[in-house]
Amino acid sequence: SIECYVQYMTLSQTTGDGAADPEILLRLGLSNSAIGEHAVALEFLSQAHTFYEELGDTRIQALCLQHIGAAEGRSGQLDQGMGSLERSLRLRRAAQDRPGEADSLEEMGLLCFLDRDHLRARGFFEQAEKLFAETSDRAALATCVLHIGATHAALAEHDRAIQLFKAALMIGAER
């Protein structure tokens, strides 16, 4: 799919006004992030963010910032990643986007977990869990509970970790 997006962008730039399509930039960023190409992802996501900022679309700006923060964190820039995620969270709170807020909080927890700050990670995951519980997204809730369990496991709280892993399985099985 990355090749298709690049071909589309090349075609649109040669046949149009030379401007990149912000949706394609976003998709290229997400696709590159998914395959671990975080530096490339950051380039595309930053360009997309700039476009959406100019358009005044705060919902997509927040999405871009969430994925920019994730890519920054996964490329070793944890502080910068947290900064981008905090900006994403502020935009989502201002827009009262509860599912988006949960996504940003969960991503902040993942960066803290990568940094081995398991208690801080748990705090973010627990905030996200409360928000996911308000939605119908059972898969997101189950994943979040699984992350909370992982923080307990990392802190050698194995009984609690097992309880949460089982709870995540039960939530995931709900339809």
Short mmCIF file of all heavy atoms in Angstrom, two decimals, residues 98-168:
data_model
loop_
_atom_site.label_atom_id
_atom_site.label_comp_id
_atom_site.label_asym_id
_atom_site.label_seq_id
_atom_site.Cartn_x
_atom_site.Cartn_y
_atom_site.Cartn_z
N ARG A 98 -13.64 11.99 23.59
CA ARG A 98 -13.29 11.02 24.63
C ARG A 98 -12.54 9.79 24.08
O ARG A 98 -11.54 9.39 24.66
CB ARG A 98 -14.55 10.60 25.40
CG ARG A 98 -15.35 11.76 25.97
CD ARG A 98 -14.72 12.39 27.15
NE ARG A 98 -15.08 11.62 28.33
CZ ARG A 98 -14.62 11.86 29.54
NH1 ARG A 98 -13.80 12.86 29.74
NH2 ARG A 98 -14.99 11.13 30.55
N PRO A 99 -12.98 9.20 22.98
CA PRO A 99 -12.20 8.07 22.45
C PRO A 99 -10.79 8.49 22.03
O PRO A 99 -9.82 7.77 22.28
CB PRO A 99 -13.02 7.59 21.25
CG PRO A 99 -14.41 8.06 21.52
CD PRO A 99 -14.25 9.36 22.26
N GLY A 100 -10.67 9.66 21.42
CA GLY A 100 -9.35 10.16 21.04
C GLY A 100 -8.48 10.44 22.26
O GLY A 100 -7.28 10.17 22.27
N GLU A 101 -9.11 10.98 23.29
CA GLU A 101 -8.39 11.24 24.55
C GLU A 101 -7.85 9.92 25.11
O GLU A 101 -6.69 9.85 25.55
CB GLU A 101 -9.36 11.90 25.54
CG GLU A 101 -8.75 12.36 26.83
CD GLU A 101 -9.77 13.02 27.75
OE1 GLU A 101 -10.83 13.50 27.28
OE2 GLU A 101 -9.48 13.06 28.96
N ALA A 102 -8.68 8.88 25.08
CA ALA A 102 -8.25 7.57 25.56
C ALA A 102 -7.07 7.05 24.74
O ALA A 102 -6.10 6.51 25.29
CB ALA A 102 -9.41 6.58 25.51
N ASP A 103 -7.13 7.24 23.42
CA ASP A 103 -6.02 6.79 22.55
C ASP A 103 -4.72 7.51 22.92
O ASP A 103 -3.66 6.88 23.00
CB ASP A 103 -6.35 7.06 21.08
CG ASP A 103 -7.40 6.12 20.51
OD1 ASP A 103 -7.59 5.01 21.06
OD2 ASP A 103 -8.02 6.50 19.50
N SER A 104 -4.80 8.82 23.13
CA SER A 104 -3.59 9.59 23.48
C SER A 104 -3.04 9.14 24.83
O SER A 104 -1.82 8.96 24.98
CB SER A 104 -3.90 11.09 23.51
OG SER A 104 -4.21 11.56 22.22
N LEU A 105 -3.92 8.95 25.80
CA LEU A 105 -3.48 8.49 27.13
C LEU A 105 -2.84 7.11 27.06
O LEU A 105 -1.81 6.86 27.70
CB LEU A 105 -4.66 8.48 28.10
CG LEU A 105 -5.14 9.85 28.57
CD1 LEU A 105 -6.53 9.74 29.19
CD2 LEU A 105 -4.15 10.47 29.54
N GLU A 106 -3.45 6.23 26.28
CA GLU A 106 -2.88 4.88 26.16
C GLU A 106 -1.49 4.94 25.52
O GLU A 106 -0.57 4.25 25.96
CB GLU A 106 -3.81 3.98 25.35
CG GLU A 106 -3.33 2.54 25.29
CD GLU A 106 -4.32 1.62 24.62
OE1 GLU A 106 -5.04 2.06 23.70
OE2 GLU A 106 -4.36 0.45 25.02
N GLU A 107 -1.34 5.77 24.51
CA GLU A 107 -0.04 5.90 23.85
C GLU A 107 0.99 6.49 24.82
O GLU A 107 2.15 6.10 24.81
CB GLU A 107 -0.17 6.76 22.60
CG GLU A 107 0.98 6.63 21.65
CD GLU A 107 1.14 5.23 21.08
OE1 GLU A 107 0.20 4.69 20.47
OE2 GLU A 107 2.25 4.66 21.26
N MET A 108 0.56 7.42 25.67
CA MET A 108 1.47 7.97 26.68
C MET A 108 1.90 6.87 27.64
O MET A 108 3.08 6.80 28.04
CB MET A 108 0.78 9.12 27.43
CG MET A 108 0.55 10.33 26.54
SD MET A 108 -0.53 11.57 27.28
CE MET A 108 0.66 12.49 28.25
N GLY A 109 0.97 6.00 27.99
CA GLY A 109 1.32 4.86 28.84
C GLY A 109 2.33 3.94 28.17
O GLY A 109 3.26 3.45 28.82
N LEU A 110 2.16 3.72 26.87
CA LEU A 110 3.10 2.85 26.16
C LEU A 110 4.51 3.44 26.15
O LEU A 110 5.49 2.71 26.33
CB LEU A 110 2.61 2.60 24.73
CG LEU A 110 1.38 1.71 24.61
CD1 LEU A 110 0.83 1.73 23.19
CD2 LEU A 110 1.69 0.29 25.06
N LEU A 111 4.61 4.76 25.98
CA LEU A 111 5.95 5.37 26.02
C LEU A 111 6.57 5.26 27.41
O LEU A 111 7.76 5.00 27.53
CB LEU A 111 5.90 6.83 25.57
CG LEU A 111 5.67 7.09 24.09
CD1 LEU A 111 5.96 8.55 23.76
CD2 LEU A 111 6.46 6.18 23.20
N CYS A 112 5.76 5.47 28.44
CA CYS A 112 6.28 5.31 29.80
C CYS A 112 6.72 3.87 30.04
O CYS A 112 7.75 3.62 30.69
CB CYS A 112 5.22 5.71 30.83
SG CYS A 112 4.91 7.48 30.87
N PHE A 113 5.95 2.93 29.52
CA PHE A 113 6.31 1.52 29.66
C PHE A 113 7.64 1.25 28.96
O PHE A 113 8.51 0.56 29.51
CB PHE A 113 5.20 0.62 29.09
CG PHE A 113 5.32 -0.82 29.52
CD1 PHE A 113 4.73 -1.25 30.69
CD2 PHE A 113 6.02 -1.73 28.75
CE1 PHE A 113 4.83 -2.58 31.10
CE2 PHE A 113 6.14 -3.06 29.14
CZ PHE A 113 5.55 -3.48 30.32
N LEU A 114 7.82 1.81 27.76
CA LEU A 114 9.10 1.65 27.05
C LEU A 114 10.26 2.23 27.87
O LEU A 114 11.38 1.71 27.81
CB LEU A 114 9.06 2.38 25.70
CG LEU A 114 8.34 1.71 24.56
CD1 LEU A 114 8.27 2.64 23.35
CD2 LEU A 114 9.00 0.40 24.18
N ASP A 115 9.97 3.28 28.62
CA ASP A 115 10.98 3.94 29.46
C ASP A 115 11.13 3.24 30.81
O ASP A 115 11.84 3.73 31.68
CB ASP A 115 10.59 5.41 29.64
CG ASP A 115 11.74 6.28 30.08
OD1 ASP A 115 12.91 5.96 29.76
OD2 ASP A 115 11.48 7.30 30.75
N ARG A 116 10.42 2.14 30.98
CA ARG A 116 10.43 1.33 32.22
C ARG A 116 9.87 2.07 33.43
O ARG A 116 10.18 1.75 34.57
CB ARG A 116 11.82 0.79 32.50
CG ARG A 116 12.38 -0.11 31.41
CD ARG A 116 13.67 -0.76 31.81
NE ARG A 116 14.38 -1.40 30.73
CZ ARG A 116 14.04 -2.53 30.12
NH1 ARG A 116 12.96 -3.15 30.47
NH2 ARG A 116 14.80 -3.02 29.17
N ASP A 117 9.06 3.08 33.18
CA ASP A 117 8.37 3.79 34.26
C ASP A 117 6.98 3.18 34.38
O ASP A 117 5.98 3.74 33.93
CB ASP A 117 8.31 5.29 33.96
CG ASP A 117 7.82 6.12 35.13
OD1 ASP A 117 7.29 5.53 36.10
OD2 ASP A 117 7.96 7.35 35.08
N HIS A 118 6.93 2.00 34.97
CA HIS A 118 5.72 1.19 34.97
C HIS A 118 4.58 1.78 35.79
O HIS A 118 3.41 1.64 35.41
CB HIS A 118 6.05 -0.24 35.41
CG HIS A 118 7.07 -0.89 34.51
ND1 HIS A 118 8.33 -1.20 34.94
CD2 HIS A 118 7.02 -1.20 33.20
CE1 HIS A 118 9.01 -1.72 33.94
NE2 HIS A 118 8.24 -1.72 32.87
N LEU A 119 4.88 2.44 36.88
CA LEU A 119 3.81 3.05 37.67
C LEU A 119 3.17 4.22 36.93
O LEU A 119 1.95 4.36 36.91
CB LEU A 119 4.34 3.51 39.04
CG LEU A 119 4.67 2.39 40.02
CD1 LEU A 119 5.29 2.96 41.29
CD2 LEU A 119 3.41 1.59 40.35
N ARG A 120 4.00 5.02 36.31
CA ARG A 120 3.46 6.14 35.52
C ARG A 120 2.66 5.61 34.33
O ARG A 120 1.59 6.13 34.01
CB ARG A 120 4.59 7.05 35.05
CG ARG A 120 4.11 8.32 34.38
CD ARG A 120 5.26 9.29 34.15
NE ARG A 120 4.77 10.48 33.47
CZ ARG A 120 5.45 11.14 32.56
NH1 ARG A 120 6.67 10.75 32.23
NH2 ARG A 120 4.93 12.20 31.98
N ALA A 121 3.18 4.57 33.70
CA ALA A 121 2.47 3.95 32.58
C ALA A 121 1.10 3.48 33.04
O ALA A 121 0.09 3.72 32.37
CB ALA A 121 3.27 2.78 32.02
N ARG A 122 1.06 2.82 34.19
CA ARG A 122 -0.21 2.32 34.72
C ARG A 122 -1.20 3.45 34.92
O ARG A 122 -2.39 3.32 34.62
CB ARG A 122 0.00 1.57 36.03
CG ARG A 122 -1.29 0.94 36.55
CD ARG A 122 -1.13 0.27 37.90
NE ARG A 122 -0.06 -0.71 37.86
CZ ARG A 122 0.52 -1.20 38.95
NH1 ARG A 122 0.15 -0.79 40.16
NH2 ARG A 122 1.48 -2.09 38.85
N GLY A 123 -0.73 4.58 35.43
CA GLY A 123 -1.62 5.73 35.63
C GLY A 123 -2.27 6.18 34.33
O GLY A 123 -3.48 6.43 34.29
N PHE A 124 -1.49 6.24 33.27
CA PHE A 124 -2.05 6.62 31.96
C PHE A 124 -3.02 5.55 31.46
O PHE A 124 -4.10 5.87 30.95
CB PHE A 124 -0.95 6.86 30.93
CG PHE A 124 -0.20 8.15 31.13
CD1 PHE A 124 1.17 8.15 31.34
CD2 PHE A 124 -0.85 9.38 31.09
CE1 PHE A 124 1.88 9.32 31.51
CE2 PHE A 124 -0.17 10.57 31.27
CZ PHE A 124 1.20 10.54 31.48
N PHE A 125 -2.63 4.29 31.60
CA PHE A 125 -3.50 3.20 31.14
C PHE A 125 -4.83 3.19 31.90
O PHE A 125 -5.89 2.95 31.32
CB PHE A 125 -2.82 1.84 31.29
CG PHE A 125 -1.65 1.61 30.38
CD1 PHE A 125 -0.54 0.90 30.82
CD2 PHE A 125 -1.64 2.08 29.07
CE1 PHE A 125 0.54 0.66 29.99
CE2 PHE A 125 -0.55 1.86 28.23
CZ PHE A 125 0.54 1.14 28.70
N GLU A 126 -4.77 3.45 33.20
CA GLU A 126 -6.00 3.45 33.99
C GLU A 126 -6.93 4.61 33.60
O GLU A 126 -8.15 4.45 33.58
CB GLU A 126 -5.67 3.46 35.49
CG GLU A 126 -5.13 2.12 35.95
CD GLU A 126 -4.62 2.12 37.38
OE1 GLU A 126 -4.39 3.21 37.96
OE2 GLU A 126 -4.43 1.00 37.93
N GLN A 127 -6.33 5.77 33.28
CA GLN A 127 -7.16 6.87 32.79
C GLN A 127 -7.82 6.50 31.46
O GLN A 127 -9.00 6.78 31.24
CB GLN A 127 -6.31 8.14 32.60
CG GLN A 127 -5.83 8.79 33.88
CD GLN A 127 -4.95 9.98 33.54
OE1 GLN A 127 -5.44 10.96 32.98
NE2 GLN A 127 -3.67 9.89 33.88
N ALA A 128 -7.04 5.89 30.59
CA ALA A 128 -7.56 5.48 29.28
C ALA A 128 -8.64 4.42 29.44
O ALA A 128 -9.67 4.46 28.75
CB ALA A 128 -6.43 4.95 28.40
N GLU A 129 -8.42 3.50 30.37
CA GLU A 129 -9.40 2.42 30.61
C GLU A 129 -10.78 3.01 30.95
O GLU A 129 -11.81 2.55 30.43
CB GLU A 129 -8.92 1.52 31.74
CG GLU A 129 -9.92 0.44 32.11
CD GLU A 129 -9.59 -0.27 33.41
OE1 GLU A 129 -8.86 0.31 34.26
OE2 GLU A 129 -10.07 -1.39 33.60
N LYS A 130 -10.80 4.01 31.82
CA LYS A 130 -12.08 4.62 32.21
C LYS A 130 -12.79 5.22 30.99
O LYS A 130 -14.01 5.11 30.86
CB LYS A 130 -11.85 5.69 33.28
CG LYS A 130 -11.45 5.12 34.61
CD LYS A 130 -11.13 6.20 35.62
CE LYS A 130 -10.62 5.56 36.90
NZ LYS A 130 -9.97 6.50 37.78
N LEU A 131 -12.02 5.84 30.12
CA LEU A 131 -12.62 6.45 28.92
C LEU A 131 -13.06 5.38 27.93
O LEU A 131 -14.14 5.49 27.34
CB LEU A 131 -11.64 7.42 28.28
CG LEU A 131 -11.29 8.64 29.12
CD1 LEU A 131 -10.14 9.41 28.51
CD2 LEU A 131 -12.50 9.53 29.30
N PHE A 132 -12.25 4.35 27.73
CA PHE A 132 -12.64 3.27 26.82
C PHE A 132 -13.90 2.55 27.32
O PHE A 132 -14.72 2.10 26.52
CB PHE A 132 -11.52 2.25 26.64
CG PHE A 132 -10.42 2.67 25.72
CD1 PHE A 132 -9.10 2.54 26.11
CD2 PHE A 132 -10.69 3.19 24.46
CE1 PHE A 132 -8.06 2.91 25.26
CE2 PHE A 132 -9.67 3.57 23.60
CZ PHE A 132 -8.35 3.44 24.00
N ALA A 133 -14.06 2.48 28.65
CA ALA A 133 -15.24 1.82 29.22
C ALA A 133 -16.52 2.57 28.86
O ALA A 133 -17.61 1.98 28.84
CB ALA A 133 -15.10 1.68 30.73
N GLU A 134 -16.40 3.86 28.56
CA GLU A 134 -17.57 4.67 28.17
C GLU A 134 -17.97 4.44 26.72
O GLU A 134 -19.03 4.89 26.30
CB GLU A 134 -17.26 6.17 28.35
CG GLU A 134 -16.98 6.60 29.76
CD GLU A 134 -16.54 8.06 29.85
OE1 GLU A 134 -16.50 8.75 28.80
OE2 GLU A 134 -16.22 8.50 30.96
N THR A 135 -17.10 3.80 25.95
CA THR A 135 -17.36 3.61 24.52
C THR A 135 -17.81 2.17 24.27
O THR A 135 -17.80 1.33 25.16
CB THR A 135 -16.10 3.88 23.68
OG1 THR A 135 -15.16 2.82 23.88
CG2 THR A 135 -15.46 5.22 24.03
N SER A 136 -18.15 1.89 23.04
CA SER A 136 -18.53 0.53 22.67
C SER A 136 -17.33 -0.24 22.11
O SER A 136 -17.50 -1.36 21.62
CB SER A 136 -19.66 0.57 21.63
OG SER A 136 -19.22 1.27 20.48
N ASP A 137 -16.14 0.34 22.19
CA ASP A 137 -14.94 -0.29 21.63
C ASP A 137 -14.36 -1.28 22.63
O ASP A 137 -13.46 -0.95 23.41
CB ASP A 137 -13.92 0.78 21.24
CG ASP A 137 -12.77 0.22 20.42
OD1 ASP A 137 -12.60 -1.02 20.37
OD2 ASP A 137 -12.04 1.04 19.82
N ARG A 138 -14.90 -2.49 22.60
CA ARG A 138 -14.47 -3.52 23.56
C ARG A 138 -13.04 -3.97 23.30
O ARG A 138 -12.32 -4.32 24.22
CB ARG A 138 -15.43 -4.71 23.52
CG ARG A 138 -16.90 -4.35 23.75
CD ARG A 138 -17.15 -3.55 25.00
NE ARG A 138 -17.06 -4.39 26.18
CZ ARG A 138 -17.01 -3.93 27.42
NH1 ARG A 138 -17.06 -2.64 27.65
NH2 ARG A 138 -16.93 -4.76 28.44
N ALA A 139 -12.62 -3.97 22.04
CA ALA A 139 -11.25 -4.38 21.73
C ALA A 139 -10.25 -3.39 22.33
O ALA A 139 -9.23 -3.80 22.89
CB ALA A 139 -11.07 -4.49 20.21
N ALA A 140 -10.54 -2.10 22.22
CA ALA A 140 -9.65 -1.09 22.80
C ALA A 140 -9.61 -1.22 24.32
O ALA A 140 -8.55 -1.11 24.93
CB ALA A 140 -10.08 0.31 22.39
N LEU A 141 -10.76 -1.46 24.92
CA LEU A 141 -10.82 -1.64 26.37
C LEU A 141 -10.01 -2.87 26.79
O LEU A 141 -9.22 -2.82 27.74
CB LEU A 141 -12.27 -1.76 26.85
CG LEU A 141 -12.46 -2.02 28.34
CD1 LEU A 141 -11.85 -0.91 29.19
CD2 LEU A 141 -13.95 -2.18 28.66
N ALA A 142 -10.20 -3.97 26.07
CA ALA A 142 -9.47 -5.21 26.39
C ALA A 142 -7.96 -4.99 26.27
O ALA A 142 -7.18 -5.43 27.13
CB ALA A 142 -9.92 -6.34 25.48
N THR A 143 -7.54 -4.30 25.22
CA THR A 143 -6.11 -4.04 25.03
C THR A 143 -5.56 -3.18 26.16
O THR A 143 -4.47 -3.42 26.67
CB THR A 143 -5.88 -3.35 23.67
OG1 THR A 143 -6.36 -4.20 22.64
CG2 THR A 143 -4.41 -3.04 23.45
N CYS A 144 -6.34 -2.19 26.57
CA CYS A 144 -5.92 -1.31 27.65
C CYS A 144 -5.78 -2.09 28.97
O CYS A 144 -4.80 -1.91 29.70
CB CYS A 144 -6.91 -0.16 27.78
SG CYS A 144 -6.27 1.20 28.77
N VAL A 145 -6.74 -2.95 29.25
CA VAL A 145 -6.67 -3.79 30.46
C VAL A 145 -5.44 -4.70 30.38
O VAL A 145 -4.75 -4.92 31.38
CB VAL A 145 -7.98 -4.59 30.66
CG1 VAL A 145 -7.84 -5.62 31.76
CG2 VAL A 145 -9.14 -3.63 30.95
N LEU A 146 -5.15 -5.21 29.21
CA LEU A 146 -3.96 -6.03 29.00
C LEU A 146 -2.70 -5.23 29.32
O LEU A 146 -1.78 -5.73 29.99
CB LEU A 146 -3.93 -6.52 27.56
CG LEU A 146 -2.82 -7.49 27.18
CD1 LEU A 146 -3.02 -8.82 27.88
CD2 LEU A 146 -2.81 -7.69 25.68
N HIS A 147 -2.66 -3.97 28.90
CA HIS A 147 -1.51 -3.11 29.20
C HIS A 147 -1.38 -2.88 30.71
O HIS A 147 -0.26 -2.88 31.24
CB HIS A 147 -1.63 -1.76 28.49
CG HIS A 147 -1.49 -1.81 27.01
ND1 HIS A 147 -0.59 -2.60 26.35
CD2 HIS A 147 -2.15 -1.14 26.04
CE1 HIS A 147 -0.69 -2.43 25.04
NE2 HIS A 147 -1.65 -1.54 24.83
N ILE A 148 -2.50 -2.69 31.38
CA ILE A 148 -2.45 -2.51 32.84
C ILE A 148 -1.87 -3.78 33.48
O ILE A 148 -1.02 -3.71 34.37
CB ILE A 148 -3.84 -2.17 33.42
CG1 ILE A 148 -4.31 -0.81 32.89
CG2 ILE A 148 -3.81 -2.17 34.95
CD1 ILE A 148 -5.77 -0.49 33.17
N GLY A 149 -2.32 -4.92 32.99
CA GLY A 149 -1.78 -6.19 33.48
C GLY A 149 -0.28 -6.29 33.25
O GLY A 149 0.45 -6.78 34.12
N ALA A 150 0.18 -5.80 32.11
CA ALA A 150 1.62 -5.84 31.82
C ALA A 150 2.42 -5.00 32.81
O ALA A 150 3.53 -5.37 33.18
CB ALA A 150 1.88 -5.39 30.39
N THR A 151 1.83 -3.89 33.27
CA THR A 151 2.55 -3.08 34.26
C THR A 151 2.67 -3.84 35.58
O THR A 151 3.70 -3.76 36.24
CB THR A 151 1.89 -1.70 34.51
OG1 THR A 151 0.61 -1.86 35.10
CG2 THR A 151 1.80 -0.90 33.22
N HIS A 152 1.62 -4.56 35.93
CA HIS A 152 1.69 -5.37 37.15
C HIS A 152 2.72 -6.48 37.00
O HIS A 152 3.50 -6.75 37.93
CB HIS A 152 0.31 -5.95 37.49
CG HIS A 152 -0.63 -4.95 38.08
ND1 HIS A 152 -0.62 -4.61 39.42
CD2 HIS A 152 -1.61 -4.20 37.51
CE1 HIS A 152 -1.54 -3.70 39.65
NE2 HIS A 152 -2.16 -3.43 38.51
N ALA A 153 2.75 -7.12 35.83
CA ALA A 153 3.74 -8.18 35.59
C ALA A 153 5.16 -7.63 35.67
O ALA A 153 6.05 -8.27 36.25
CB ALA A 153 3.48 -8.84 34.24
N ALA A 154 5.37 -6.45 35.09
CA ALA A 154 6.70 -5.84 35.10
C ALA A 154 7.17 -5.50 36.51
O ALA A 154 8.37 -5.45 36.77
CB ALA A 154 6.71 -4.58 34.24
N LEU A 155 6.20 -5.30 37.41
CA LEU A 155 6.53 -4.98 38.81
C LEU A 155 6.44 -6.21 39.70
O LEU A 155 6.37 -6.09 40.93
CB LEU A 155 5.60 -3.87 39.32
CG LEU A 155 5.79 -2.53 38.60
CD1 LEU A 155 4.66 -1.57 38.94
CD2 LEU A 155 7.14 -1.93 38.95
N ALA A 156 6.44 -7.39 39.08
CA ALA A 156 6.40 -8.68 39.79
C ALA A 156 5.14 -8.87 40.62
O ALA A 156 5.14 -9.61 41.60
CB ALA A 156 7.67 -8.88 40.64
N GLU A 157 4.06 -8.23 40.22
CA GLU A 157 2.76 -8.41 40.87
C GLU A 157 1.97 -9.40 40.01
O GLU A 157 1.00 -9.06 39.34
CB GLU A 157 2.04 -7.05 40.97
CG GLU A 157 2.83 -6.04 41.81
CD GLU A 157 2.33 -4.61 41.63
OE1 GLU A 157 1.45 -4.33 40.79
OE2 GLU A 157 2.86 -3.73 42.35
N HIS A 158 2.43 -10.65 40.05
CA HIS A 158 1.98 -11.66 39.10
C HIS A 158 0.52 -12.07 39.26
O HIS A 158 -0.18 -12.27 38.26
CB HIS A 158 2.91 -12.87 39.14
CG HIS A 158 4.33 -12.51 38.83
ND1 HIS A 158 4.74 -12.02 37.61
CD2 HIS A 158 5.44 -12.53 39.62
CE1 HIS A 158 6.03 -11.76 37.64
NE2 HIS A 158 6.48 -12.06 38.85
N ASP A 159 0.05 -12.19 40.49
CA ASP A 159 -1.35 -12.58 40.69
C ASP A 159 -2.29 -11.54 40.09
O ASP A 159 -3.26 -11.89 39.40
CB ASP A 159 -1.66 -12.78 42.18
CG ASP A 159 -0.98 -14.01 42.77
OD1 ASP A 159 -0.59 -14.90 41.98
OD2 ASP A 159 -0.83 -14.06 44.00
N ARG A 160 -2.01 -10.28 40.34
CA ARG A 160 -2.85 -9.21 39.79
C ARG A 160 -2.73 -9.17 38.26
O ARG A 160 -3.72 -8.96 37.56
CB ARG A 160 -2.46 -7.85 40.39
CG ARG A 160 -3.33 -6.72 39.93
CD ARG A 160 -4.77 -6.87 40.41
NE ARG A 160 -5.56 -5.76 39.93
CZ ARG A 160 -6.79 -5.86 39.42
NH1 ARG A 160 -7.38 -7.03 39.37
NH2 ARG A 160 -7.43 -4.81 39.00
N ALA A 161 -1.53 -9.38 37.75
CA ALA A 161 -1.33 -9.41 36.30
C ALA A 161 -2.19 -10.50 35.67
O ALA A 161 -2.87 -10.26 34.67
CB ALA A 161 0.14 -9.61 35.97
N ILE A 162 -2.17 -11.69 36.26
CA ILE A 162 -2.96 -12.80 35.72
C ILE A 162 -4.45 -12.47 35.75
O ILE A 162 -5.17 -12.74 34.79
CB ILE A 162 -2.64 -14.10 36.48
CG1 ILE A 162 -1.21 -14.56 36.14
CG2 ILE A 162 -3.65 -15.19 36.16
CD1 ILE A 162 -0.69 -15.66 37.02
N GLN A 163 -4.92 -11.86 36.84
CA GLN A 163 -6.33 -11.46 36.92
C GLN A 163 -6.69 -10.52 35.78
O GLN A 163 -7.75 -10.66 35.15
CB GLN A 163 -6.62 -10.76 38.26
CG GLN A 163 -6.59 -11.64 39.46
CD GLN A 163 -6.71 -10.82 40.76
OE1 GLN A 163 -6.57 -9.59 40.75
NE2 GLN A 163 -6.98 -11.51 41.86
N LEU A 164 -5.83 -9.56 35.53
CA LEU A 164 -6.10 -8.59 34.48
C LEU A 164 -6.00 -9.21 33.09
O LEU A 164 -6.79 -8.86 32.20
CB LEU A 164 -5.17 -7.38 34.62
CG LEU A 164 -5.51 -6.49 35.82
CD1 LEU A 164 -4.36 -5.56 36.16
CD2 LEU A 164 -6.79 -5.71 35.56
N PHE A 165 -5.07 -10.12 32.89
CA PHE A 165 -4.97 -10.79 31.60
C PHE A 165 -6.25 -11.59 31.33
O PHE A 165 -6.78 -11.58 30.22
CB PHE A 165 -3.75 -11.71 31.54
CG PHE A 165 -2.42 -10.99 31.58
CD1 PHE A 165 -1.31 -11.62 32.08
CD2 PHE A 165 -2.28 -9.67 31.13
CE1 PHE A 165 -0.07 -10.98 32.12
CE2 PHE A 165 -1.05 -9.01 31.16
CZ PHE A 165 0.05 -9.67 31.67
N LYS A 166 -6.75 -12.25 32.36
CA LYS A 166 -8.01 -13.00 32.20
C LYS A 166 -9.18 -12.06 31.93
O LYS A 166 -10.03 -12.36 31.10
CB LYS A 166 -8.28 -13.84 33.46
CG LYS A 166 -7.36 -15.04 33.60
CD LYS A 166 -7.66 -15.82 34.87
CE LYS A 166 -6.74 -17.00 35.02
NZ LYS A 166 -7.00 -17.74 36.30
N ALA A 167 -9.21 -10.94 32.64
CA ALA A 167 -10.28 -9.96 32.41
C ALA A 167 -10.22 -9.43 30.98
O ALA A 167 -11.26 -9.26 30.33
CB ALA A 167 -10.16 -8.81 33.42
N ALA A 168 -9.02 -9.18 30.49
CA ALA A 168 -8.87 -8.69 29.11
C ALA A 168 -9.41 -9.72 28.12
O ALA A 168 -10.08 -9.36 27.15
CB ALA A 168 -7.40 -8.36 28.81
#
